[in-house]
Amino acid sequence: MHEVLGGLLGRRWETITLIFSFGIMFSFAAIQMVAVGNVVYYINDKLERRTWTLVLGSCFATTVFIPSLRNYRMWSFAGLVMIVCTALYMAFASLAIHQDNDVRHTAPHSIRSYFNGFASTIIFGAHAIPVELMDAMWQPSKYKLTSLYSDLFMTPVVLFSIISVYWAFGDNVQYNVFSMLPRTKFRDAAVVLMLLHQLIQYGICSQPLYIIVEKWFKIHQSSSYWKKTLVRTPVFLGSLLVAIMFPFYGTLSSAAGSIFMTWLYVIPCAASVLVFWTSKSQKNAIEQPPFGTSWLSLHCMNLGAILWMAIMAGGFATWASISVLRNQAHEFGLFAKCYRCPRRGS
């Protein structure tokens, strides 16, 4: 996207878009590492979560040696299937558990908790991103249709699991649903599928970062495999450092969504208004506004989206997520050995 906006609106737009794109992909990569350490703990708690993050996170270094995203197409689809199976297991396992009489379903208790939850919705349905990236790179003209189908597919699956889990456990779900479900072979299988999905997702998030760094050092077109590997390694080490420094999965996801993802909604909307502001540019547009709407209506919708995302997500949600992240860092400390691990014998 940054290259497209750079060609349409100039170098400054390209640079700003690249910064936010790099930020969100780097954050998502680190979040996958946090997730593997947290999830595998429910299979084997002999190691602390930070240790598991270092052990399994080190396996993610294999992505440094993968030449291009083309090699990921089959695996990206497999990862999507894995996360769907895991979500369905969570839903049906939760429904199979009889709801306790003391389960409570309460609203957010403060403005901060409301907007921290709102920040999580910004990245809602992001599990379909691997398939979207594949088609965006190799078939850009089909991206919009692919994105629509991905959202239509993932939204019901995600909502079904979320509603089922919250119905069964209510406010008792404070951290990870795996801790609420009984230890069975099906739960362990779901954990393994989740781990594999996170490895694939890390590869999808890190590969664009590797390409950006290669271009910064002007070796993207180089035939030297080891030069590329050398400049890619700091990206991996940086994401691993962030993962063990901030092991707060949910809060880190909220912060990444509000800080970076927000503006990746705002920037394209603003660019659309600027590029197609004049009647001449509107007539020369390759595609006209859909469903018979006018350019004025499209500009109004874009401006409305800009204001909503900038104020609600970029403002309030960013404040809330950073505030919660700061409080958790103060409570548990940076580089926490075992974030919210149950006490032995409890």
Side-chain angles (χ1 to χ4, degrees):
M1 181 171 67
H2 62 277
E3 293 176 344
V4 174
L5 294 184
L8 292 172
L9 297 171
R11 183 72 176 178
R12 183 176 298 178
W13 279 79
E14 180 179 359
T15 302
I16 294 174
T17 308
L18 179 59
I19 291 173
F20 284 108
S21 298
F22 191 95
I24 191 62
M25 299 306 287
F26 183 85
S27 300
F28 277 2
I31 288 168
Q32 302 312 311
M33 287 193 175
V34 175
V36 295
N38 291 338
V39 171
V40 74
Y41 186 80
Y42 296 108
I43 290 182
N44 187 330
D45 60 359
K46 293 181 179 180
L47 296 179
E48 296 162 335
R49 282 187 167 131
R50 186 179 67 182
T51 305
W52 274 122
T53 299
L54 289 170
V55 172
L56 295 181
S58 299
C59 297
F60 288 11
T62 55
T63 60
V64 171
F65 305 101
I66 297 175
S68 70
L69 272 174
R70 185 183 291 274
N71 306 93
Y72 253 87
R73 190 173 184 84
M74 179 184 70
W75 292 108
S76 68
F77 183 78
L80 190 60
V81 173
M82 293 172 188
I83 197 64
V84 169
C85 292
T86 303
L88 292 177
Y89 160 76
M90 289 181 178
F92 288 117
S94 299
L95 293 175
I97 298 175
H98 295 291
Q99 186 185 60
D100 293 334
N101 294 328
D102 60 346
V103 169
R104 299 179 60 191
H105 303 85
T106 58
H109 54 80
S110 67
I111 294 178
R112 188 179 67 178
S113 62
Y114 170 82
F115 280 105
N116 187 53
F118 173 75
S120 301
T121 64
I122 300 172
I123 56 174
F124 179 81
H127 301 295
I129 285 178
V131 176
E132 295 177 9
L133 281 175
M134 297 297 101
D135 281 11
M137 293 192 69
W138 307 118
Q139 293 179 305
S141 60
K142 295 185 178 181
Y143 172 73
K144 289 189 292 185
L145 194 60
T146 303
S147 180
L148 175 62
Y149 287 158
S150 299
D151 290 339
L152 292 177
F153 174 69
M154 287 304 301
T155 300
V157 174
V158 174
L159 283 178
F160 179 45
S161 61
I162 292 174
I163 294 172
S164 300
V165 169
Y166 191 60
W167 171 85
F169 303 110
D171 296 343
N172 293 327
V173 181
Q174 296 294 327
Y175 182 56
N176 194 306
V177 67
F178 284 122
S179 64
M180 311 297 297
L181 297 173
R183 176 74 182 271
T184 65
K185 60 181 180 180
F186 296 106
R187 195 197 72 165
D188 290 350
V191 170
V192 172
L193 290 177
M194 178 71 80
L195 293 173
L196 293 174
H197 164 75
Q198 286 157 349
L199 173 60
I200 295 170
Q201 190 84 343
Y202 180 87
I204 293 294
C205 294
S206 62
Q207 284 291 327
L209 301 178
Y210 297 154
I211 294 173
I212 292 172
V213 172
E214 289 171 9
K215 290 183 177 180
W216 281 349
F217 287 93
K218 303 184 186 305
I219 62 170
H220 183 53
Q221 301 299 331
S222 173
S223 59
S224 175
Y225 179 78
W226 296 110
K227 284 183 180 179
K228 294 182 177 181
T229 302
L230 183 63
V231 300
R232 289 177 171 198
T233 302
V235 176
F236 160 75
L237 293 176
S239 59
L240 181 60
L241 176 64
V242 172
I244 62 175
M245 183 184 295
F246 301 103
F248 322 121
Y249 177 79
T251 307
L252 193 60
S253 299
S254 298
S258 60
I259 296 172
F260 296 111
M261 197 72 170
T262 297
W263 303 105
L264 293 179
Y265 285 103
V266 171
I267 291 173
C269 291
S272 175
V273 173
L274 291 176
V275 171
F276 299 110
W277 184 255
T278 64
S279 58
K280 181 180 179 180
S281 61
Q282 294 170 6
K283 291 179 181 178
N284 294 332
I286 297 176
E287 294 184 3
Q288 295 297 312
F291 310 115
T293 57
S294 65
W295 282 102
L296 178 60
S297 300
L298 186 62
H299 290 337
C300 289
M301 287 188 287
N302 280 326
L303 290 172
I306 291 170
L307 291 174
W308 174 264
M309 293 301 295
I311 296 173
M312 300 296 287
F316 291 113
T318 299
W319 159 75
S321 59
I322 291 179
S323 178
V324 173
L325 183 64
R326 182 185 59 199
N327 290 345
Q328 290 192 341
H330 178 74
E331 179 181 356
F332 298 99
L334 302 179
F335 302 99
K337 285 186 177 182
C338 209
Y339 171 61
R340 284 187 173 173
C341 292
R343 294 181 179 178
R344 301 292 183 181
S346 60

